[in-house]
Amino acid sequence: MNLRAYRRFFVVAYHFLPLLVSYARDRRRFLLFGGRRQVSSEMRVERADTLLESLLTLGPTFIKLGQLLSTRPDVLPPEYVEVLSKLQDEVPPAPWDEARVVLEDELGPVDERFEDFDTEAISGASLGQVYTAKVGDREVAVKIRRPNIESLVTADLRVVRWSLPILLYFIGEARAFSLENLADEFDRTIRQEMDYSREAEMLQEIRANFEGDDTVAIPAVIESHSGPRVLTMEYIQGTKINDVAELDAKNIDRHRLAVNLQEAYMQMLLEDGVFHADPHPGNLAVRPDGTIVFYDFGMSGRVDEFVQNKIIDFYIAVANRDIDGILNALVEMGTLSPEADRATMGKVMELAIEDARGESIETYRVQQIVEQVEDTIYEFPLRLPSNLALVLRVATVVEGVCVTLDSDFDFISVATDYLTEQGYREESIKKYARETGDQIRESVESSVRVPPKLERTLDRIDREDLYIRADIEDGNDVFALLAKRLVYGMMLAAGVFSTAFLYALTEVNAAAVAAAFTAGVAVFLYRSFRKRKGTRVTPQFTRHEMRQRRGGD
């Protein structure tokens, strides 16, 4: 097993070496010396395309890794996220003879367990492939794990672990925490996705939560024909949800469809705590009566009660345009650093809300925000805890599907209506009233306690017996920088004087040495005053991108 991992490590290193050299040159333009070099948005897109080709060449595990990376804007710049979001989990299926071995090892002879079995796969993915068959008179879909995938995934996961320390060097400290979390999350996610028993459990739980809801259809599991490597479920046919022309031909209300889709996911996230986490158009279909069909529950997740409450607080704050409430919810969820510049982040959130509502945004406002964040884009205070990565994936992909169905879809209005109908906004108002009452009570209590303390403090001042201790926090190392400049300045002055003095004494060699030393100090002093250049990027807005794509089509 280790031998295969070693071989894979060298194969992976070969594919990623050009990118690593490029990143090394970004940090030191001439690798061993020279300053940082400016990286344009076009260069990032070009590198992202190279990365995409490498992931496709390296096979199933790295295709999954690329899909996961496309959901992590806290790890990669927006150009990479956009390019990798094109990565579809579509791989030619393995030959039937190989898949049959897996099926029969799990269930027994095909001819005995199934009345009919179509050996042409209807879909192929990196970890499995799907066939249609019959169990009795019932049409079923049979999902079979790709042959010999376990050993390949195990070897590739070792390679990812071995490569992590190298990658941490190239991404810098700001994203190291997110990347380490991503590695843990990827290991856990891909192992869970290969376990079809877990997928069956999640599917059944989510199906039970929507029992009686005629807007959603979820296939039933055929337990007698399922196991860790094979999952047999009810086969429900439908029109692919992004096939707009076919939906219109069937007179299906696309706006209503988008509303039903978003409300279904809000129920999963905010009420049920278990959700289908891969809502790309290939996993969503529509029946002739407008019912939404969900496929492929291999990527699914859970949300604990604390995160559910914070997501609710976030949605309510967005609905009320309460910028402080939005930032507080993000900080409490761990997605925004408490040290973030709240004024700048508040402006970013205002733009995001306006864009999500389809409102026009003045170009100068976008440019103003870019200028405020461009100098610190790699240290941007947004991060993504592993328990929220799938939630973000769901939110972004579902919005994209909804906008495809209805270009004027306003997901904030739909979310607001849903929160109101479920009573969340009313509860939020009651909570706010309770908190305000507590604050008033505490203020009254403080007003009673403060006068005696103030009198004692004034007495100490009168006796000249008051001492004040102040601790200065210097998170940006301002004092260290000032001290460095002061030392460099003193050394430069001494060097200039020494050079002139030695030259006047006709000590040419000594003067040359002093001049070289002085020049070196001058370079260091100059560099200490240089402003760190940021990376100029254009803000990415989902709705704007969708309109561009539709316009391009």
Side-chain angles (χ1 to χ4, degrees), residues 38 67 96 135 177 214 244 249 274 319 352 374 403 426-427 437 444 451:
Q38 186 76 26
Q67 288 181 307
W96 161 243
V135 175
F177 175 77
D214 58 4
V244 176
V274 56
E374 65 178 356
V403 172
E426 181 181 352
E427 179 60 30
V444 173

Side-chain angles (χ1 to χ4, degrees), residues 401-417:
V401 173
C402 290
V403 172
T404 300
L405 292 170
D406 178 6
S407 60
D408 296 322
F409 185 75
D410 185 348
F411 80 92
I412 293 180
S413 295
V414 175
T416 301
D417 293 342

